[in-house]
Amino acid sequence: MAKKRAPIPVNPMANQFGSGIAMEKLLVEKLNPKEKEEAGRAHREDGHSFFLLEKGKVTIEIDFEKIHIKPASLIYLHPNQVHRITTFENVAVCVWSINNEHLHPEYLEILEELTPARPILLKKETVSLLSDAVALGMRFLERQEDKLFHASIKDSCNALVALSISQFLDQNQSSLKGGRFETVTKSFRTLLERNYIQDKRPAAYAKKLNISIPYLNECVRHTTGFSVSHHIQQRVILEAKRLLVHSDQAIKEIATTLGYDDYPYFSRLFTKVTGKTPMAFRNKNLD
C-alpha cells in the first residue's frame, strides 16, 4: 500500500510574532532529532524569506534541486517554493521574512521577477550591514508597547528586503537593463505564473501581450536563452513534480489538475522533459 502523503505544510515563520513579519538570529551547532525531522520535511514558508548564512554548513533542496550554501551567502525563498533542509551544522544565520500584505509592492514585483534566485556570496561589509539591520529590527520587535510598533517593524523588514534585492540585482545585471526585451519577458513570466494551467501555447501569451508570437519568442529567448514553449513546459512540469511527491492524487488526476485531459500525452511530455515516467519519478522521491 502506498504511503499516505499529507499536503505540503506551510511554516508560519512570518507570523511568529502575529504580525506577518519575522526577524531573528540563530546559532545552532547541530539539530536534535526532532528538529532534524521537521527541517527535513518538504514545506513552504508563509512569507518572502531571506537567510543570511554567516557561518556553518547548510544544504537545502529547493523544488528537487539540491543546493550547498557557503558562508557568507544570502538566499531568498519565494512563498511558492517547496524546500527542505538536509544539512544544518554549526550554523550562524540571520533570518527575515515578510508576507505579501506588508511587503512594499515595488519589492514584490522585483522578487517575482527574480524567482527562482540562486544563493549569492556577499562582501564582508554587506554581511555586517545586513546583520546589524536584523539586530536593530529585533530590538524593534521587543517594543510592542510603542504606538507605532507595527510601522517600525514593517519599515525595518522592508529595508532589509530592499538591501537584499539590491545585492541580487547587482549580481544579475540582466535584471537592470530595463529594455523592451526584458520588459516583455517580465510580463510573460507574470502571465505564465497565473495562466500555465489553462494556457499551454505561446499564442495565448502573445495575444494577451498584444504582440506577435515570433516577437515574444525573440524577447524571451534573448533574455533567458530559452523559448516560450520551454518556459511553459518547465512551469507545468515543476507543478507536476510537486503534486507527484507531495500529494496522493493519482497520476491521471494530476494530469487533469494541470489541464491535460489526454493522460498519455501528459505522461509522454513529463518523460521527455525529466527523463523519467511520472510513476518512476514519484517512486524515486518518496521518503
Side-chain angles (χ1 to χ4, degrees):
M1 181 179 292
K3 182 180 178 181
K4 182 73 173 177
R5 292 177 297 280
I8 304 171
V10 176
N11 177 26
M13 181 167 63
N15 264 325
Q16 64 175 299
F17 298 100
S19 60
I21 296 169
M23 287 171 278
E24 61 182 336
K25 292 191 175 188
L26 300 174
L27 295 172
V28 182
E29 289 188 7
K30 193 173 182 180
L31 297 176
N32 62 44
K34 182 178 179 181
E35 291 171 333
K36 187 174 181 179
E37 181 183 357
E38 291 176 353
R41 291 197 195 104
H43 63 281
R44 291 184 171 102
E45 305 296 342
D46 64 338
H48 298 265
S49 304
F50 298 81
F51 302 85
L52 174 63
L53 181 65
E54 296 187 76
K55 71 173 185 178
K57 182 179 179 182
V58 174
T59 303
I60 185 170
E61 185 181 283
I62 305 174
D63 281 324
F64 309 102
E65 180 182 2
K66 188 170 288 187
I67 299 172
H68 302 285
I69 307 175
K70 304 175 182 178
S73 293
L74 178 67
I75 185 168
Y76 160 66
L77 288 174
H78 186 279
N80 190 44
Q81 290 182 286
V82 179
H83 58 279
R84 66 190 187 100
I85 297 171
T86 58
T87 306
F88 197 85
E89 298 176 1
N90 299 315
V91 167
V93 61
C94 294
V95 183
W96 55 99
S97 182
I98 185 168
N99 63 20
N100 283 350
E101 179 183 353
H102 303 300
L103 182 62
H104 192 292
E106 180 183 356
Y107 304 161
L108 175 59
E109 184 178 348
I110 298 172
L111 290 173
E112 294 287 357
E113 183 181 356
L114 285 174
T115 305
R118 303 287 300 181
I120 55 173
L121 289 169
L122 301 180
K123 296 179 180 179
K124 185 177 180 180
E125 56 267 29
T126 304
V127 173
S128 179
L129 175 62
L130 289 169
S131 182
D132 289 346
V134 172
L136 179 60
M138 291 172 64
R139 292 184 65 183
F140 287 146
L141 284 167
E142 296 171 356
R143 301 179 62 86
Q144 297 190 25
E145 301 304 318
D146 288 358
K147 291 184 178 180
L148 295 178
F149 164 72
H150 195 268
S152 66
I153 61 170
K154 178 179 176 180
D155 290 345
S156 180
C157 197
N158 270 285
L160 274 164
V161 172
L163 287 168
S164 303
I165 288 174
S166 69
Q167 298 307 307
F168 282 103
L169 293 180
D170 283 345
Q171 297 191 37
N172 182 13
Q173 291 300 316
S174 64
S175 296
L176 295 175
K177 291 180 181 178
R180 176 63 176 164
F181 283 179
E182 288 73 23
T183 300
V184 170
T185 300
K186 177 181 175 182
S187 298
F188 161 68
R189 283 175 162 168
T190 300
L191 286 172
L192 177 61
E193 190 61 32
R194 297 171 183 168
N195 300 282
Y196 67 90
I197 292 178
Q198 60 266 37
D199 292 332
K200 303 286 196 305
R201 298 180 181 277
Y205 297 93
K207 183 177 181 180
K208 291 177 188 295
L209 293 169
N210 295 312
I211 58 178
S212 69
I213 300 172
Y215 184 64
L216 174 59
N217 257 315
E218 181 184 5
C219 292
V220 173
R221 191 180 291 278
H222 176 86
T223 305
T224 70
F226 296 99
S227 68
V228 172
S229 293
H230 172 86
H231 285 282
I232 296 171
Q233 286 185 355
Q234 290 297 315
R235 183 62 187 90
V236 173
I237 295 302
L238 172 58
E239 204 63 29
K241 288 178 177 179
R242 289 171 172 170
L243 293 172
L244 284 166
V245 176
H246 304 299
S247 83
D248 286 308
Q249 282 186 287
I251 296 174
K252 286 186 178 180
E253 291 179 301
I254 291 174
T256 301
T257 298
L258 295 176
Y260 293 98
D261 294 327
D262 185 347
Y263 165 70
Y265 175 80
F266 167 77
S267 183
R268 289 195 302 271
L269 175 64
F270 187 93
T271 304
K272 177 183 176 182
V273 173
T274 68
K276 294 183 177 66
T277 66
M279 181 59 72
F281 183 87
R282 168 172 272 178
N283 291 338
K284 182 179 183 296
N285 287 277
L286 290 181
D287 293 334

